């Protein structure tokens, strides 16, 4: 369910949403009538925080775009909203995008960030586990359907000699995993920041590995095919706004950190500035369309096809749309 709130201030919205992380929609005023409003989805883990900052930067308003926002725990949920045409744009990693393209014809309009350093496999501290192979017979929290889950199940676990059934996969949202680890209802988790940093700082879990050496996890901004066909000028203006915001991540990192930190504290998360800084450090924001996107996506699609999670390799000329970013840069 998506909770929509219209015509309220950011302070009122945060207060109303409380400690829980709920989907929400807020219309923003301003902008030219010639550009279409955008329904923006994002995840409330660290992968979605560049988009959260983007929405609060004022750049969309400067570029004449109204927006409505929808926050959910992870990107695979945003993808499902987009397939159902409840949301126009959203961010998630390559495997989830490929699934979304197969199910709903979604298209990638930009690579926004790389987040492989923010993904970790962690185990309860008292277990003393240091290798993935040691997870055999244990309960592993995993958000089924998410990109990080697919990479663990399809690549990392098999490489460590673990096949399906060698460990018990416990399905849950990433924002619920630290509590489950503390309660000892699971033994390990495949999770993202800031939840990994919180678990580490609180002495609940230790790191087995992060994903960077296996997968740098590029995160894409995807859009529905309907939206890009009907509103190409809005897509270009939207990407121009992203290019402007990207400068803050390199030139004004403290401002970015303050805005994002306030999001988590408003939700009731207790973490020090130092813990938060470590969590944010793993996010590399650089909107664009690198030349290595297609080979990477081909590799991910081959894995998903082998696992019978998609019916065919995507037509990349339809799935990947660098032309919008080229126009935005021009």
């Amino acid at each position: 369910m998506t909770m929509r709130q219209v015509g309220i201030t950011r302070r009122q919205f945060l207060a109303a949403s409380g400690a829980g992380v709920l989907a929400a929609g807020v219309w923003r005023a301003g902008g030219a009538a010639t550009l279409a409003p955008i329904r923006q989805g994002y995840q409330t883990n660290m992968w979605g925080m560049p988009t959260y900052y983007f929405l609060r930067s004022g750049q969309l308003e400067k570029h004449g775009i109204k927006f409505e926002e929808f926050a959910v725990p992870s990107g695979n949920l945003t993808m499902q909203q987009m397939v159902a045409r409840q949301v126009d744009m959203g961010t998630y990693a390559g495997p989830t995008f490929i699934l979304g393209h197969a199910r709903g014809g979604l298209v990638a309009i930009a690579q926004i960030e790389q987040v492989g350093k923010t993904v970790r496999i962690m185990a309860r501290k008292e277990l003393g586990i240091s290798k993935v192979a040691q997870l055999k017979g244990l309960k592993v929290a995993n958000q089924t359907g998410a990109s990080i889950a697919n990479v663990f199940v399809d690549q990392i676990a098999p490489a460590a000699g673990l096949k399906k059934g060698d460990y018990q996969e416990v399905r849950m949202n990433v924002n619920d995993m630290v509590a489950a680890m503390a309660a000892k209802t699971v033994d390990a988790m495949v999770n993202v920041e800031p939840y990994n940093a919180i678990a580490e700082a609180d002495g609940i879990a230790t790191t087995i590995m992060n994903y960077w050496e296996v997968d740098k996890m590029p995160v894409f901004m995807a859009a529905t095919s309907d939206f890009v066909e009907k509103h190409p000028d809005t897509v270009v203006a939207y990407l121009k706004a992203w290019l402007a915001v990207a400068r803050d991540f390199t030139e004004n990192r403290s401002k970015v950190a303050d805005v994002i930190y306030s999001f988590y504290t408003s939700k009731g998360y207790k973490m020090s500035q130092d813990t938060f800084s470590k969590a944010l450090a793993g996010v590399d924001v650089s909107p664009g369309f690198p030349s290595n996107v297609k080979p990477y996506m081909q590799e991910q699609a081959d894995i998903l096809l082998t696992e019978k999670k998609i019916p065919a390799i995507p037509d990349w000329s339809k799935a990947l749309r660098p032309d919008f970013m080229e126009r935005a840069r021009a």
Side-chain angles (χ1 to χ4, degrees):
M1 177 178 289
T2 298
M3 182 179 71
R4 181 175 301 178
Q5 298 177 343
V6 181
I8 63 175
T9 67
R10 175 174 173 270
R11 183 180 297 276
Q12 289 170 327
F13 165 67
L14 292 176
S17 61
V21 179
L22 300 174
V26 182
W27 280 109
R28 300 288 173 177
T34 54
L35 296 181
I38 290 173
R39 296 175 297 174
Q40 177 73 63
Y42 65 94
Q43 60 267 61
T44 52
N45 57 53
M46 198 59 73
W47 294 13
M49 287 300 100
T51 301
Y52 175 81
Y53 177 81
F54 172 69
L55 296 178
R56 276 144 189 83
S57 68
Q59 285 295 334
L60 279 175
E61 290 89 341
K62 289 180 181 179
H63 285 79
I65 302 173
K66 296 178 181 179
F67 69 89
E68 189 178 10
E69 65 184 86
F70 296 81
V72 293
S74 68
N76 64 306
L77 300 177
T78 296
M79 180 270 284
Q80 292 168 27
Q81 289 177 319
M82 293 177 67
V83 170
R85 297 309 190 256
Q86 297 167 345
V87 171
D88 303 311
M89 295 189 183
T91 56
Y92 25 83
T96 297
F97 167 73
I98 294 168
L99 292 172
H101 178 75
R103 296 172 185 174
L106 306 185
V107 300
I109 59 172
Q111 178 182 305
I112 298 297
E113 56 199 297
Q114 289 186 310
V115 294
K117 293 178 182 177
T118 71
V119 188
R120 297 192 235 175
I121 302 170
M122 303 188 78
R124 293 205 329 263
K125 187 175 182 178
E126 67 271 20
L127 297 178
I129 292 175
S130 60
K131 298 178 181 179
V132 174
Q134 293 175 287
L135 297 176
K136 187 172 184 177
L138 300 184
K139 296 179 180 179
V140 181
N142 206 15
Q143 179 139 2
T144 304
S147 290
I148 60 173
N150 289 330
V151 172
F152 175 76
V153 172
D154 299 337
Q155 299 178 58
I156 293 176
L162 298 178
K163 60 183 183 296
K164 294 177 182 178
D166 285 344
Y167 55 93
Q168 183 180 342
E169 187 178 36
V170 181
R171 301 182 179 188
M172 66 175 65
N173 289 335
V174 290
N175 53 313
D176 295 326
M177 291 181 185
V178 177
M181 294 276 278
K184 300 183 180 181
T185 56
V186 297
D187 304 303
M189 65 180 182
V190 181
N191 210 339
V192 298
E193 299 297 1
Y195 313 117
N196 295 325
I198 292 171
E200 186 175 57
D202 290 350
I204 296 169
T206 55
T207 300
I208 298 175
M209 64 171 287
N210 72 30
Y211 272 29
W212 187 254
E213 296 304 323
V214 176
D215 192 330
K216 290 180 171 54
M217 300 300 289
V219 172
F220 298 91
M221 183 61 71
T224 65
S225 55
D226 317 55
F227 193 89
V228 298
E229 289 170 8
K230 294 177 182 177
H231 311 292
D233 290 342
T234 302
V235 175
V236 173
Y238 173 85
L239 292 176
K240 285 180 180 291
W242 261 111
L243 292 173
V245 163
R247 289 193 287 271
D248 283 351
F249 282 85
T250 56
E251 300 172 7
N252 203 346
R253 192 82 174 185
S254 61
K255 177 186 175 183
V256 172
D258 287 344
V259 172
I260 298 174
Y261 183 68
S262 70
F263 172 83
Y264 287 110
T265 55
S266 75
K267 299 300 180 186
Y269 291 101
K270 299 184 184 300
M271 73 180 128
S272 68
Q273 283 278 10
D274 180 62
T275 298
F276 173 76
S277 295
K278 291 178 181 177
L280 183 61
V283 181
D284 177 17
V285 177
S286 182
F289 225 105
S291 60
N292 63 351
V293 165
K294 185 177 176 180
Y296 170 81
M297 295 296 274
Q298 178 68 43
E299 180 183 352
Q300 297 302 313
D302 287 340
I303 293 169
L304 292 173
L305 183 64
T306 299
E307 295 296 321
K308 299 181 179 179
K309 293 180 179 179
I310 56 173
I313 299 296
D315 178 345
W316 298 119
S317 66
K318 295 179 179 178
L320 305 178
R321 295 294 303 274
D323 51 305
F324 291 108
M325 179 57 77
E326 289 169 5
R327 287 178 59 190
R329 290 192 183 281

